[in-house]
Amino acid sequence: VNELYQRVNRGWQDLVEELLSSQQDNALLITHGGVIRTLISEVLNPGQAPLSGVFSSLELPYGSLLKIVVDAHEVDGEWQCLPKLHWQL
């Protein structure tokens, strides 16, 4: 789980940085439940180890759609980002 968390978190940070430095406002990420659960854990508990119940207790039906909106503001030349989860069933 920790290896998955590190890979997903690194990819998520790269995606957010790429969006902030480009003219793009949106990205579509199509992935599997393990990555989705890892992203949920990161949004709910940023910078920490994955939440223990996220992998065993969170059921994600096939074709689930999760929207993560990142509210980004530049402060003193650095981006401050606050992600929010939006479930779409």
Side-chain angles (χ1 to χ4, degrees):
V1 172
N2 283 333
E3 184 179 320
L4 172 66
Y5 174 77
Q6 290 172 358
R7 285 194 326 256
V8 170
N9 193 37
R10 193 169 37 249
W12 173 250
Q13 295 302 322
D14 289 347
L15 177 61
V16 169
E17 287 175 18
E18 184 176 326
L19 287 171
L20 290 173
S21 66
S22 72
Q23 298 298 320
Q24 300 296 318
D25 291 334
N26 299 298
L28 175 64
L29 177 64
I30 299 172
T31 189
H32 59 82
V35 172
I36 294 170
R37 287 179 179 89
T38 302
L39 289 172
I40 290 170
S41 182
E42 176 60 22
V43 169
L44 296 176
N45 198 28
Q48 304 298 316
L51 296 170
S52 59
V54 168
F55 285 89
S56 59
S57 302
L58 182 61
E59 183 177 326
L60 294 172
Y62 292 117
S64 295
L65 180 62
L66 172 67
K67 181 178 180 180
I68 302 176
V69 175
V70 178
D71 184 18
H73 299 286
E74 193 171 4
V75 178
D76 296 329
E78 294 208 15
W79 288 100
Q80 303 293 320
C81 299
L82 177 64
K84 296 180 183 177
L85 297 173
H86 298 270
W87 293 99
Q88 297 183 356
L89 303 173

